[in-house]
Amino acid sequence: MAKITTAVLQKMKQQGEKISMLTAYDASFAKLFAEQGVEILLIGDSLGMVLQGHSDTLPVTIADIAYHTRAVRAGASDAFIIADMPFMSYGTLEQTLQSVVPLMQAGANMVKLEGGDFLLPTIQALTERGVPVCGHLGLTPQSVHVFGGYKVQGKTAEKADAMVRQALALQEAGAQLLVLECIPTALAERITQALAIPVIGIGAGNVTDGQVLVMHDLLGISSGYIPKFSKNYLAQTGEIRSAIASYVSEVKAGTFPGQEHSFN
Ligand code: KIV
């Protein structure tokens, strides 16, 4: 597989080649995922739930993400790695600039931030200083208490229009990738078509330029609630390497996610 860069991801969108992305938190899984052709590894703040056992992502710190980013980089030296910026690590511009240093020095190629308009100056400042940014709209888990639970977002015409506008504004500010989480498929399609940058979906239908899943969901080892948008590939294949290969091939073919994993 060619070394993945922002330019390669951009070209994949232009050529209609779907992008596969997975969360990874350690060297062994990172190596295995890279070997199976997963293009992007995300050190998600989901680690607060799937590794640390919390009920949400809010307790995760920059030190946690930096630790796991170093481990993932050690296992996958050529991988394209995105590090999540955890809750309140980008509250102010000064704080943001301090927060990104340990993540980029741990081996991240890009950082991901959750939110819309309030992030525009931050995204511009990061990009100007050499830090590529991935936006994240829709069900942004750091705002779970504002949403009143893990709920599908962008369901009314007004909220959908606002999300399209915000996605364009993030791109305009310099974001080079966008994650859309738990939104209706029709809205994900509108945003994917409106944007020049690649759009990665989770619970956003098979219409985006790529897909991401939390690795524990894909392997069916998450404790408690299993989201509608995830699929247990290990149950289907019985072996971890085959499970990952199957995920990558279904993403590439556009057969995952199906209707049963998507929202109207
Ligand atoms: O934290 C995470 O793993 C994420 C993905 C679910 C997109 O943000």
Side-chain angles (χ1 to χ4, degrees), residues 152-156 182-187 203-205 228 258-264:
V152 178
Q153 301 296 308
K155 286 171 84 171
T156 65
C182 285
I183 64 169
T185 301
L187 174 56
K228 168 184 160 95
Q259 283 287 354
E260 69 278 26
H261 306 113
S262 308
F263 303 101
N264 295 314

Side-chain angles (χ1 to χ4, degrees), residues 21-25 42-48 50 57 65 84 112 114 136 139 141-142 179-181 200-202 212-215 217 229:
M21 169 163 154
L22 263 184
T23 67
Y25 315 101
L42 169 68
I43 294 80
D45 61 357
S46 50
L47 69 84
V50 296
T57 60
I65 300 282
D84 248 347
K112 178 163 79 61
E114 297 183 5
H136 186 161
L139 172 50
Q142 290 169 19
V179 167
L180 293 177
E181 180 163 354
I200 310 292
I202 174 164
V212 58
L213 280 180
V214 171
M215 57 164 282
D217 291 342
F229 54 74

Side-chain angles (χ1 to χ4, degrees), residues 123-202:
I123 293 173
Q124 189 176 344
L126 286 173
T127 308
E128 284 170 353
R129 286 161 178 77
V131 180
V133 174
C134 174
H136 186 161
L137 292 174
L139 172 50
T140 44
Q142 290 169 19
S143 300
V144 61
H145 299 307
V146 174
F147 296 144
Y150 294 100
K151 297 178 178 163
V152 178
Q153 301 296 308
K155 286 171 84 171
T156 65
E158 198 184 14
K159 293 225 163 108
D161 289 348
M163 205 181 296
V164 175
R165 189 189 53 70
Q166 290 197 352
L168 285 164
L170 294 180
Q171 172 178 272
E172 181 67 20
Q176 289 176 282
L177 201 69
L178 176 67
V179 167
L180 293 177
E181 180 163 354
C182 285
I183 64 169
T185 301
L187 174 56
E189 188 163 33
R190 261 179 84 188
I191 295 174
T192 304
Q193 286 177 1
L195 263 54
I197 58 171
V199 175
I200 310 292
I202 174 164

Side-chain angles (χ1 to χ4, degrees), residues 9-227:
L9 295 171
Q10 187 63 48
K11 199 162 167 202
M12 288 175 77
K13 172 165 183 138
Q14 282 156 4
Q15 295 180 338
E17 186 185 341
K18 297 266 188 187
I19 299 164
S20 60
M21 169 163 154
L22 263 184
T23 67
Y25 315 101
D26 70 31
S28 303
F29 276 112
K31 180 167 184 289
L32 192 153
F33 295 167
E35 283 168 358
Q36 297 306 316
V38 176
E39 276 103 2
I40 306 178
L41 304 180
L42 169 68
I43 294 80
D45 61 357
S46 50
L47 69 84
M49 299 169 84
V50 296
L51 299 190
Q52 298 175 338
H54 299 298
S55 58
D56 57 47
T57 60
L58 274 58
V60 177
T61 65
I62 283 285
D64 293 334
I65 300 282
Y67 173 89
H68 290 282
T69 300
R70 259 194 309 279
V72 167
R73 176 54 77 204
S77 54
D78 279 345
F80 190 85
I81 292 180
I82 304 180
D84 248 347
M85 297 199 62
F87 179 64
M88 279 302 159
S89 65
Y90 47 103
T92 64
L93 185 52
E94 197 184 354
Q95 189 188 21
T96 307
L97 295 180
Q98 281 172 6
S99 298
V100 295
V101 176
L103 305 186
M104 297 303 283
Q105 290 182 341
N109 299 102
M110 181 177 261
V111 297
K112 178 163 79 61
L113 301 86
E114 297 183 5
D117 291 336
F118 81 98
L119 284 177
L120 301 179
T122 305
I123 293 173
Q124 189 176 344
L126 286 173
T127 308
E128 284 170 353
R129 286 161 178 77
V131 180
V133 174
C134 174
H136 186 161
L137 292 174
L139 172 50
T140 44
Q142 290 169 19
S143 300
V144 61
H145 299 307
V146 174
F147 296 144
Y150 294 100
K151 297 178 178 163
V152 178
Q153 301 296 308
K155 286 171 84 171
T156 65
E158 198 184 14
K159 293 225 163 108
D161 289 348
M163 205 181 296
V164 175
R165 189 189 53 70
Q166 290 197 352
L168 285 164
L170 294 180
Q171 172 178 272
E172 181 67 20
Q176 289 176 282
L177 201 69
L178 176 67
V179 167
L180 293 177
E181 180 163 354
C182 285
I183 64 169
T185 301
L187 174 56
E189 188 163 33
R190 261 179 84 188
I191 295 174
T192 304
Q193 286 177 1
L195 263 54
I197 58 171
V199 175
I200 310 292
I202 174 164
N206 67 351
V207 292
T208 50
D209 302 307
Q211 299 294 327
V212 58
L213 280 180
V214 171
M215 57 164 282
H216 290 60
D217 291 342
L218 179 153
L219 298 175
I221 52 172
S222 300
S223 58
Y225 172 72
I226 307 290

